[in-house]
């Protein structure tokens, strides 16, 4: 396997790379991660079963799209591919340091700058991708209220129903969500899509984000999710607002947006997230 990965790296970089050292890293939820070294260079490698090539390919697309905007540092994609029995994604290796107030301030400013770029006229993405291990549909739509209610809440509710977990009438919830957002007309912003503390790090010079689930949507969804599991420090939100003021009504919409992520956690992990999802749906729609 490592020989095949080294050959892919060599081909992509037009150099002769061999794996002289490899070290498994901790922290991966669904993939096995390694730091590999050779010829004076280090790379970060994700490994999974062969059928996981498509999620790696869409992750690479998201990272490259974020990188093209030159707002926030993300790991450079080196290559991805398959061996006889494994799929892999090779990224630039970035040594991470402890978080700092300056780093969080930078991240707030940089995310706000990313969200201010509105080159896309519709909501969605060129490919479906994954939120964690859950397929995330991204069919292009011109109306945000329809996109979010159908492809975010409706999609997750249907997945849960197929697993035997019903949360009321899906059509009713989707329609209520659409009505809640009917008079909110955000410009499409490129989103990280899975912005929580576990997907943020800090190098010596700048913050870095990774493991994205990108699509073009309402900027508020990134900011809202950053408050759900391990809220970012206050300086992040202050610096974001200094660059890009959140619209009126954000405080009323943030829990609606975070319901999507709670439903996804209910689908993936069950347990208390099922109860949390039920309570949130009751508060939002009943």
């Amino acid at each position: 396997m490592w020989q095949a990965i080294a050959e892919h790296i060599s081909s992509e970089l037009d150099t002769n790379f061999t794996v002289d050292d490899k070290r498994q890293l901790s922290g991966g939820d669904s993939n096995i991660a390694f730091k590999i070294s050779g010829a004076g260079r280090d790379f970060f490698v994700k490994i999974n079963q062969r059928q996981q090539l498509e999620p790696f390919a869409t992750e690479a697309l998201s990272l490259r799209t974020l990188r093209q905007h030159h707002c926030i540092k993300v790991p450079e994609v080196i290559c991805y591919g398959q061996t006889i029995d494994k799929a892999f994604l090779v990224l630039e290796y970035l040594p991470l340091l402890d978080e700092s107030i300056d780093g969080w301030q930078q991240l707030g400013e940089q995310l706000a700058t990313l969200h201010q770029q509105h080159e896309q006229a519709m909501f969605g993405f060129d490919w479906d991708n994954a939120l964690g291990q859950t397929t995330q549909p991204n069919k292009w739509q011109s109306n945000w209220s329809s996109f979010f209610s159908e492809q975010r809440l409706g999609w997750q509710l249907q997945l849960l129903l197929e697993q035997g977990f019903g949360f009321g009438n899906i059509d009713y919830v989707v329609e209520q969500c659409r009505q809640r957002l009917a008079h909110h007309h955000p410009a499409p912003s490129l989103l990280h899509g899975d912005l929580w503390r576990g997907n943020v790090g800090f190098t010596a010079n700048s913050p870095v984000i990774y493991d994205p689930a990108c699509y073009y949507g309402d900027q508020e969804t990134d900011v809202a999710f950053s408050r759900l599991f391990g809220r970012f420090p206050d300086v992040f939100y202050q610096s974001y607002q200094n660059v890009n003021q959140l619209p009126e009504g954000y405080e009323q919409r943030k829990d609606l947006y975070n319901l999507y992520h709670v439903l996804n956690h209910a689908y993936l992990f069950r347990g208390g997230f099922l109860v949390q999802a039920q309570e949130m749906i009751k508060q939002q729609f009943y």
Side-chain angles (χ1 to χ4, degrees):
M1 177 182 75
W2 292 110
Q3 177 62 30
I5 292 173
E7 289 174 358
H8 274 79
I9 295 172
S10 297
S11 176
E12 183 65 31
L13 298 181
D14 194 23
T15 187
N16 184 23
F17 177 81
T18 58
V19 179
D20 297 330
D21 182 68
K22 62 180 181 293
R23 176 166 57 92
Q24 187 170 342
L25 303 174
S26 61
D29 290 331
S30 54
N31 305 300
I32 301 174
F34 290 86
K35 175 187 177 184
I36 64 171
S37 304
R41 294 198 62 174
D42 300 327
F43 299 102
F44 178 84
V45 184
K46 291 184 179 183
I47 305 289
N48 210 315
Q49 298 305 309
R50 184 178 171 87
Q51 60 267 28
Q52 289 298 109
L53 178 63
E54 185 175 352
F56 284 159
T58 58
E59 180 178 345
L61 170 68
S62 290
L63 287 168
R64 285 169 169 160
T65 303
L66 284 166
R67 192 175 179 87
Q68 288 169 0
H69 284 70
H70 305 289
C71 294
I72 310 176
K73 187 174 185 63
V74 298
E76 179 185 1
V77 176
I78 306 301
C79 60
Y80 57 88
Q82 293 171 316
T83 66
I84 292 174
D85 62 343
K86 300 293 183 183
F88 63 87
L89 171 65
V90 182
L91 305 174
E92 169 190 15
Y93 180 79
L94 296 171
L96 300 181
L97 306 175
D98 292 338
E99 63 183 61
S100 67
I101 294 298
D102 288 346
W104 284 111
Q105 180 177 340
Q106 275 187 281
L107 181 61
E109 294 168 350
Q110 292 171 359
L111 184 70
T113 301
L114 174 69
H115 287 167
Q116 285 179 320
Q117 299 185 20
H118 302 303
E119 76 281 357
Q120 177 54 247
M122 299 181 72
F123 302 97
F125 206 47
D126 282 337
W127 281 271
D128 294 344
N129 48 25
L131 182 66
Q133 291 298 297
T134 309
T135 298
Q136 177 172 263
N138 293 312
K139 180 182 178 181
W140 292 108
Q141 289 183 253
S142 59
N143 184 282
W144 170 245
S145 62
S146 295
F147 177 91
F148 185 80
S149 60
E150 295 167 7
Q151 297 195 59
R152 294 299 179 256
L153 295 194
W155 171 258
Q156 287 285 355
L157 288 168
Q158 184 61 41
L159 290 177
L160 282 157
L161 183 62
E162 291 169 2
Q163 294 296 317
F165 301 102
F167 291 90
N169 186 296
I170 295 176
D171 290 339
Y172 172 80
V173 171
V174 168
E175 181 56 32
Q176 289 298 306
C177 178
R178 182 183 289 111
Q179 291 182 22
R180 286 275 304 278
L181 297 173
H183 301 293
H184 178 56
H185 302 289
S189 297
L190 179 63
L191 307 176
H192 177 280
D194 195 8
L195 192 67
W196 68 292
R197 274 184 180 258
N199 291 338
V200 175
F202 300 89
T203 68
N205 300 314
S206 68
V208 57
I209 56 176
Y210 35 82
D211 291 346
C214 286
Y215 65 99
Y216 288 88
D218 184 356
Q219 65 185 41
E220 295 178 6
T221 60
D222 265 352
V223 179
F225 186 42
S226 74
R227 298 170 61 165
L228 185 60
F229 301 127
R231 188 181 189 275
F232 291 3
D234 287 344
V235 66
F236 166 84
Y237 303 101
Q238 292 163 1
S239 60
Y240 184 99
Q241 292 274 63
N242 288 339
V243 175
N244 187 10
Q245 189 75 27
L246 288 168
E248 184 179 351
Y250 160 71
E251 289 296 329
Q252 288 71 50
R253 290 184 290 269
K254 70 180 191 305
D255 290 341
L256 178 63
Y257 288 156
N258 280 340
L259 175 58
Y260 172 55
H261 293 281
V262 173
L263 287 169
N264 186 54
H265 276 66
Y267 176 69
L268 292 173
F269 306 118
R270 311 292 196 260
F273 291 115
L274 289 166
V275 177
Q276 185 180 3
Q278 184 68 66
E279 291 175 351
M280 289 181 72
I281 287 174
K282 182 178 179 180
Q283 291 170 1
Q284 293 290 324
F285 304 115
Y286 291 95

